[in-house]
Amino acid sequence: MKNPTSIGPAQVSPIGTTLERHLLDRQRRMPEATGDFTGLFQQISLAAKIIGSRVSKAGLSGILGRTGTTNVQGEQVQKLDDFANSTIVSTVEAGGHVCVMGSEEVEEPIQIPSQYPQGKYVLQFDPLDGSGNIDINASIGTIFSIHRRLTPDGEPGTLKDLLQPGIDIVAAGYVVYGSSNMLVYSTGDQVDGFTYDPGVGEFFLSHPNIKVPQRGGIYSINEGNYHSWDKGIQSWVDWIKTPTQSKKAYRLRYIGAMVADLHRTLLRGGVFVYPPDDKNANGKLRLLYEASPMAFLVEAAGGVASDGKNRILTIQPKELHQRTPVFMGSPDDVADVLRFANA
Ligand code: AHM
Ligand code: MG
């Protein structure tokens, strides 16, 4: 019989690291962990697989974003963003790990039906971000964040549990449905990315410890809004796309789905901006469902996330669907845009 020590390092798995294994390893490093967090995360990952599968078939099954409520067979169909929302709610509510949820698609707090346990966590999500991209087969995503509950254990959660600042996030992540599907998450220490293998039906660790570069070469903003911005933002855009002796012109990339634009920003560096404009005094993006979770990930990857004045993570939300301006990405690039914005 072979000496087992001659086989090689035990920690090198021949199958790679699945998301489930990554979560279990994390749980074992925390002796006080109850498995609740891991359980909740497994439900989120299941929902992501179901949504991803439906997204990849959307054109075939007649559930594109803006179509009506009947498909070509005349059957009632849910729009993809409604489908994504109800998939997350029904997957998570029965698990017993959360006491209340908040969704960009739902006006009020989502209560957990009384037949299920009221858990110790709070889940907020944007079920299908960038849904304008569905009909043209471009990238879209799901964004989520998890807080601990503030109200007493065992009772239904309330608005108070949902209105928590980003600095108190326990974990946040996103799923991007693109040329491949990826789930990226952080518990605050580092950011790890997992790519979905549809043949196996699992997310595998593919991008461990993502770090946003100190400076990038890409700016990402809806430049069609140029004439409704403040002078400061206009001057920054004029400057960033003009080559000078000390810098090349930056390239513009704007997918129109925050998940996809920030995924690129995390991997390649640069800056993503959604500033206030004439129509939206506080920008367009929602603090709880989009800005806060993404700010948590960007900071955990070594980047900066500001509302123009302060860290997004320190904003105390006052209402569920509150909006905030967003300036996120590589530290040096965010510093540049803030210098112009605040001049
Ligand atoms: P949605 O959640 O309703 O899809 O809208 C949010 C999206 C973001 O993903 C994206 O960054 C932004 O809206 C694009 O807005 P605009 O079309 O104004 O540039
Ligand atoms: Mg959105």
Side-chain angles (χ1 to χ4, degrees), residues 11 13 15-23 25 29 181-186 190-197 202-210:
Q11 65 272 35
S13 161
I15 59 160
T17 303
T18 62
L19 174 61
E20 185 167 359
R21 159 105 188 253
H22 199 258
L23 291 164
D25 285 349
R29 287 195 303 273
N181 293 351
M182 273 191 76
L183 187 149
V184 175
Y185 90 97
S186 176
Q190 64 178 49
V191 180
D192 294 299
F194 299 77
T195 302
Y196 187 63
D197 181 339
E202 273 296 346
F203 287 101
F204 287 92
L205 182 62
S206 52
H207 295 64
N209 200 10
I210 295 169

Side-chain angles (χ1 to χ4, degrees), residues 264-304:
R264 182 200 55 248
T265 305
L266 281 178
L267 297 182
R268 297 260 187 274
V271 60
F272 172 83
V273 177
Y274 207 111
D277 57 43
D278 286 350
K279 296 183 296 284
N280 309 294
N282 289 315
K284 176 184 178 190
L285 300 173
R286 287 63 157 196
L287 175 62
L288 287 174
Y289 311 119
E290 297 169 326
S292 249
M294 286 303 197
F296 185 84
L297 289 159
V298 166
E299 286 203 5
V304 173

Side-chain angles (χ1 to χ4, degrees), residues 104 126 129-130 286 290:
E104 197 202 286
D126 180 354
D129 179 61
R286 287 63 157 196
E290 297 169 326

Side-chain angles (χ1 to χ4, degrees), residues 288-320:
L288 287 174
Y289 311 119
E290 297 169 326
S292 249
M294 286 303 197
F296 185 84
L297 289 159
V298 166
E299 286 203 5
V304 173
S306 169
D307 69 353
K309 301 267 183 237
N310 301 303
R311 277 173 80 196
I312 286 173
L313 293 182
T314 59
I315 303 173
Q316 171 62 53
K318 296 194 175 60
E319 51 187 63
L320 277 184

